[in-house]
C-alpha cells in the first residue's frame, strides 16, 4: 500500500476508500474502453485499429498538459499547486533520448498492434490469454535488471501459462495469426513497463505520474503516426469524414483512454504494480462476463476451468513478492 502505513482509525478508512474509488474507476474505464473499441472496430466497421488506439493516448497527452499548466499557474499565483509538479525538473534532451524515447517506442508499437487481435479472436479469449503477461514481465524485468528471478514465482507463472493454454484450447475460433500478434503486443507492453521501472527506480531525476504521461505520450503518438501514415495515409480523407459523421464513439474513446491511463497510474501509486496485476485479473473476469451479455461471446466450461487456473496462479504469483520492499513499475 502507499507509504505511511499503519495509519489507523478514520485516516486508514479514508485511505482504503480512496484506493477502492480509484480501482473501481480504473475497472470501469478500462473495461468500457475495451468494449467500446471492439464496437468501433467490428460493429461500426471502422477498420483502423491504430487510429482507434491513438485516441486514448492523445486524450492522455491533453489531460497531462492541462494538469501541468494548471499546477504551474496555481503555484505561481500562490495557490496550493501540485507538489509533484514543483518537484519535477525539466528533462534534458539527452535524458529524454536515453530514457524516455525507448519507453515511447515500445509503448507506440504496443498500442499500434493492440487492437488487431480483436479482428481474429473474441474479447473473452484475448483477455484470458493475457494472463501470461507475468511471464514476459519477469523475463524482461530480469533482462533489464529490475527483477530478480524467484523459483516460487517461476512455478506460479507456469501455472498461469497452463491455465491460459487450457482456456485457449476451448476456443473454437482460435487464430494463430491473432495469437502471434497478441504475443507481440504483450512483449512490447512488458518491455515498456520494464524500462519505465528502471527509469523510475534507478534514475536520480524525480518524475511524477503526470510528468511521465506528459513526456512519454508525444513519442508514443509519433510512433503511432508513422503506422497511421503507412496504413491509412491514402484513406485519411474518408477516415476523417467517417469520424466526423458520428463523432460520439470516437470522443468517448478519447476520454475513456485518458481516464484508463490516469486511473491505472493512480492505482499503482496508491498500491503497487504487483497488486495492480492481481486486480487486473479480477477486472478481466468482469470484462468476460460483460462480453458474454453484450457481445454474445461464448464461454465454455473449459474456458472457466482454464481461467480459474490462471487466477490461482496469479494469486500464487503475488505471494512470494508480497513482503518485498515495494518498487512498482509505474509512477508512485
Amino acid at each position: 500500500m502507499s507509504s505511511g502505513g499503519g495509519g489507523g482509525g478514520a485516516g486508514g478508512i479514508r485511505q482504503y476508500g480512496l484506493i477502492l474509488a480509484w480501482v473501481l474507476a480504473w475497472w470501469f474505464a478500462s473495461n468500457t474502453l475495451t468494449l467500446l473499441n471492439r464496437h468501433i472496430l467490428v460493429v461500426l466497421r471502422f477498420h483502423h485499429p491504430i487510429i482507434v488506439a491513438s485516441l486514448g493516448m492523445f486524450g492522455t497527452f491533453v489531460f497531462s498538459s492541462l494538469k501541468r499548466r494548471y499546477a504551474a499557474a496555481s503555484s505561481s499565483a500562490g495557490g496550493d499547486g501540485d507538489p509533484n509538479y514543483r518537484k519535477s525538473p525539466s528533462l534534458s534532451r539527452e535524458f529524454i533520448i536515453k530514457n524516455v524515447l525507448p519507453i515511447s517506442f515500445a509503448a507506440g508499437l504496443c498500442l499500434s498492434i493492440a487492437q488487431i487481435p480483436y479482428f481474429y479472436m473474441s474479447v473473452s479469449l484475448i483477455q484470458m490469454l493475457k494472463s501470461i503477461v507475468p511471464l514476459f514481465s519477469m523475463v524482461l524485468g530480469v533482462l533489464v535488471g529490475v527483477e530478480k528471478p524467484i523459483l516460487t514465482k517461476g512455478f506460479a507463472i507456469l501455472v498461469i501459462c497452463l491455465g491460459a493454454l487450457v482456456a485457449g484450447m476451448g476456443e473454437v475460433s482460435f487464430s494463430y495469426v491473432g495469437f502471434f500478434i497478441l504475443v507481440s503486443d504483450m512483449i512490447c507492453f512488458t518491455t515498456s513497463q520494464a524500462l519505465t521501472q528502471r527509469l523510475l527506480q534507478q534514475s536520480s531525476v524525480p518524475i511524477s505520474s503526470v510528468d511521465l504521461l506528459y513526456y512519454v505520450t508525444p513519442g508514443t503518438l509519433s510512433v503511432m503516426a508513422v503506422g497511421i501514415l503507412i496504413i491509412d495515409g491514402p484513406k485519411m480523407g474518408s477516415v476523417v469524414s467517417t469520424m466526423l459523421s458520428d463523432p460520439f464513439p470516437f470522443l468517448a474513446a478519447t476520454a475513456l483512454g485518458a481516464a484508463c491511463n490516469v486511473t491505472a497510474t493512480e492505482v499503482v501509486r496508491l498500491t503497487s504494480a504487483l497488486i495492480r496485476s492481481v486486480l487486473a485479473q479480477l477486472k478481466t473476469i468482469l470484462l468476460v462476463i460483460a462480453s458474454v451479455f453484450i457481445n454474445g461471446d461464448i464461454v465454455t466450461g473449459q474456458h472457466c476451468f482454464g481461467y480459474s487456473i490462471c487466477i490461482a496462479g496469479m494469486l500464487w504469483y503475488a505471494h512470494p513478492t508480497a513482503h518485498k520492499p515495494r518498487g512498482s513499475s509505474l509512477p508512485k
Side-chain angles (χ1 to χ4, degrees):
M1 296 298 173
S2 59
S3 59
I13 296 176
R14 191 180 304 111
Q15 178 72 0
Y16 282 110
L18 179 63
I19 293 173
L20 178 61
W22 279 110
V23 168
L24 293 177
W26 168 48
W27 281 359
F28 175 80
S30 179
N31 287 347
T32 305
L33 178 63
T34 299
L35 295 172
L36 176 59
N37 283 347
R38 186 181 187 277
H39 175 80
I40 293 174
L41 292 168
V42 178
V43 178
L44 299 183
R45 298 182 182 277
F46 186 81
H47 296 166
H48 308 282
I50 304 179
I51 295 178
V52 173
S54 68
L55 296 176
M57 190 57 61
F58 175 75
T60 302
F61 177 69
V62 172
F63 173 81
S64 60
S65 300
L66 292 176
K67 191 174 187 298
R68 279 169 57 91
R69 184 179 296 273
Y70 171 79
S74 177
S75 177
S76 62
D80 292 335
D82 184 347
N84 283 334
Y85 176 83
R86 292 198 300 266
K87 289 190 296 184
S88 299
S90 297
L91 302 182
S92 66
R93 179 183 302 179
E94 180 182 359
F95 185 90
I96 292 176
I97 294 176
K98 182 179 179 180
N99 298 282
V100 177
L101 287 186
I103 299 174
S104 298
F105 182 75
L109 288 178
C110 170
L111 292 171
S112 294
I113 62 177
Q115 305 299 322
I116 299 178
Y118 292 98
F119 288 116
Y120 297 93
M121 298 182 293
S122 68
V123 172
S124 302
L125 176 62
I126 290 173
Q127 297 304 313
M128 291 175 183
L129 293 177
K130 282 186 176 181
S131 297
I132 66 176
V133 165
L135 172 64
F136 299 107
S137 296
M138 186 181 72
V139 173
L140 268 299
V142 171
L143 289 178
V144 302
V146 296
E147 290 286 348
K148 295 182 179 179
I150 300 176
L151 183 61
T152 309
K153 183 190 293 186
F155 283 128
I157 290 176
L158 291 178
V159 172
I160 295 171
C161 295
L162 174 63
L165 177 62
V166 171
M169 291 171 60
E171 177 69 20
V172 295
S173 60
F174 180 84
S175 167
Y176 287 101
V177 174
F179 179 75
F180 173 78
I181 297 174
L182 180 63
V183 170
S184 301
D185 171 53
M186 290 187 288
I187 292 176
C188 292
F189 171 76
T190 51
T191 299
S192 68
Q193 294 301 290
L195 294 176
T196 299
Q197 182 176 351
R198 184 175 66 177
L199 169 64
L200 294 174
Q201 293 184 352
Q202 300 178 4
S203 173
S204 59
V205 179
I207 304 177
S208 70
S209 302
V210 173
D211 285 319
L212 178 65
L213 295 171
Y214 176 78
Y215 283 109
V216 168
T217 48
T220 301
L221 286 171
S222 298
V223 173
M224 301 178 77
V226 174
I228 292 174
L229 290 175
I230 294 175
I231 298 175
D232 301 313
K235 301 172 288 185
M236 282 305 297
S238 61
V239 168
V240 173
S241 62
T242 300
M243 297 174 68
L244 292 178
S245 64
D246 186 14
F248 177 76
F250 302 99
L251 292 175
T254 302
L256 283 171
C260 181
N261 290 331
V262 172
T263 52
T265 302
E266 285 300 310
V267 168
V268 173
R269 184 181 68 85
L270 292 171
T271 58
S272 70
L274 181 58
I275 293 177
R276 178 185 179 274
S277 67
V278 175
L279 292 173
Q281 301 307 308
L282 301 178
K283 174 179 69 70
T284 299
I285 294 178
L286 299 178
L287 179 59
V288 170
I289 295 174
S291 297
V292 171
F293 290 100
I294 297 176
N295 296 326
D297 290 350
I298 299 176
V299 179
T300 66
Q302 186 169 346
H303 279 142
C304 296
F305 177 67
Y307 200 59
S308 65
I309 296 176
C310 290
I311 293 296
M314 278 302 303
L315 296 176
W316 189 14
Y317 172 77
H319 182 266
T321 57
H323 303 289
K324 287 173 55 180
R326 183 163 64 93
S328 64
S329 60
L330 287 176
K332 300 177 184 176

